[in-house]
């Protein structure tokens, strides 16, 4: 719900008819249409606009909707699962999320604890992510030193699993001789998140150049 602009999100969820807007050269089924008798998962539900919240509420209550630019009512029997990392109850109090929609969604809540409260799983997650990322990066890790596990467990992980995965991927890119040496990431402030990936990339390149004594070809090969 956060990665698609509002005007496109409505079309993605409910579909549109030919000519509904500029560029709509043919009719298109929406996700609720496709999810009939199945399940639709709406991630980052807190980012949905008030207009779309009202339309989603109708789908939950009446199990029906109209495509963008259409007049026919379409029935759907989709099971709806939503997720958010924000406090919806607080958003309801602040009038930033519809109260009626909140109670319609809050039928069976599942609270997943942040990674810092599940540290005993970090070694298992690390081993899983190393196997997963080996296929992506094209590198095989033969050894994870105990001190690397200790560093991972001692960190608070404000970015949860995604931050853990990014940290392991960075370490794998810089790894030599199949050994995973973990460097704990510096704390990231809210105003620096936008440029964080650039800074990670820059540090990775600088580290690779230092390790190859400035040989750009070797550094490039190391970084894949």
């Amino acid at each position: 719900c956060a990665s698609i602009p509002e005007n496109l999100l409505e079309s993605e969820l409910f579909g549109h008819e030919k000519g509904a807007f500029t560029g709509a050269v043919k009719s298109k089924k929406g996700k609720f249409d496709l999810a009939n008798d199945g399940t639709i998962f709406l991630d980052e539900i807190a980012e949905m606009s008030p207009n779309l919240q009202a339309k989603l509420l109708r789908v939950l209550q009446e199990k029906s909707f109209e495509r963008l630019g259409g007049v026919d009512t379409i029935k759907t029997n989709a099971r709806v699962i939503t997720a958010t990392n924000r406090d919806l109850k607080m958003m309801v109090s602040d009038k930033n999320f519809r109260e009626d929609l909140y109670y319609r969604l809050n039928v069976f809540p599942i609270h997943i604890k942040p990674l810092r409260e599940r540290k005993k799983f970090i070694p298992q997650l690390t081993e899983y992510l190393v196997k997963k990322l080996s296929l992506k990066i094209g590198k095989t890790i033969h050894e994870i030193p105990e001190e690397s596990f200790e560093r991972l467990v001692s960190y608070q992980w404000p970015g949860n699993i995604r931050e853990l995965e990014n940290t392991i991927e960075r370490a794998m890119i810089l790894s030599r001789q199949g050994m995973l040496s973990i460097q704990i990431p510096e704390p990231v402030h809210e105003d620096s998140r936008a440029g964080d990936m650039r800074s990670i990339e820059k540090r990775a390149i600088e580290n690779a150049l230092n390790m190859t004594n400035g040989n750009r070809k070797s550094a490039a090969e190391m970084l894949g």
Side-chain angles (χ1 to χ4, degrees):
C1 297
S3 61
I4 304 174
E6 179 185 352
N7 58 330
L8 295 180
L9 182 58
E10 183 174 359
S11 174
E12 283 293 310
L13 292 179
F14 306 115
H16 63 256
E17 297 293 349
K18 180 180 178 180
F21 52 84
T22 302
V25 295
K26 61 180 180 179
S27 297
K28 175 188 174 183
K29 288 185 176 182
K31 295 296 189 287
F32 273 102
D33 210 338
L34 298 170
N36 187 35
D37 290 331
T39 300
I40 183 169
F41 174 58
L42 301 175
D43 196 10
E44 299 187 66
I45 190 69
E47 308 305 320
M48 184 176 279
S49 70
N51 178 48
L52 281 178
Q53 287 181 35
K55 294 190 175 185
L56 176 59
L57 178 63
R58 184 196 168 189
V59 175
L60 295 175
Q61 289 179 334
E62 302 177 16
K63 297 188 180 295
S64 64
F65 61 93
E66 284 89 36
R67 290 179 186 158
L68 198 61
V71 293
D72 295 331
T73 299
I74 300 171
K75 292 289 185 179
T76 183
N77 187 36
R79 175 176 57 180
V80 179
I81 300 175
T82 65
T84 180
N85 62 354
R86 300 179 65 182
D87 187 340
L88 287 185
K89 197 173 258 188
M90 182 71 70
M91 291 183 68
V92 169
S93 299
D94 295 339
K95 308 298 183 185
N96 292 322
F97 197 84
R98 290 183 65 108
E99 184 176 18
D100 45 8
L101 177 58
Y102 170 73
Y103 287 113
R104 288 294 295 177
L105 292 172
N106 198 34
V107 175
F108 194 90
I110 300 173
H111 175 67
I112 300 177
K113 293 180 179 179
L115 186 58
R116 62 182 173 273
E117 295 179 20
R118 294 181 288 149
K119 288 189 173 184
K120 66 179 181 179
F121 297 114
I122 287 178
Q124 291 172 277
L125 287 167
T126 300
E127 291 173 352
Y128 164 76
L129 290 169
V130 164
K131 290 179 182 178
K132 172 187 170 184
L133 292 168
S134 290
L135 298 173
K136 174 183 175 182
I137 299 172
K139 273 189 174 182
T140 301
I141 298 298
H142 302 291
E143 181 182 355
I144 306 176
E146 189 62 35
E147 62 183 24
S148 289
F149 282 125
E150 290 174 358
R151 287 172 183 167
L152 290 170
V153 171
S154 65
Y155 185 60
Q156 292 302 305
W157 302 108
N160 288 302
I161 298 292
R162 286 173 184 159
E163 186 181 9
L164 174 64
E165 183 169 0
N166 287 343
T167 299
I168 293 172
E169 183 172 2
R170 180 168 65 249
M172 289 180 68
I173 289 171
L174 297 174
S175 67
R176 304 183 75 181
Q177 300 177 336
M179 181 178 291
L180 191 72
S181 179
I182 296 292
Q183 298 299 320
I184 292 300
E186 297 175 7
V188 179
H189 301 289
E190 287 295 329
D191 57 357
S192 66
R193 287 188 185 276
D196 188 50
M197 288 309 298
R198 290 195 189 92
S199 65
I200 289 172
E201 185 180 65
K202 181 180 178 182
R203 287 200 300 271
I205 293 170
E206 289 173 345
N207 289 339
L209 286 169
N210 288 334
M211 293 169 69
T212 58
N213 296 318
N215 187 311
R216 288 180 293 177
K217 183 179 179 182
S218 297
E221 290 173 351
M222 180 184 294
L223 292 169

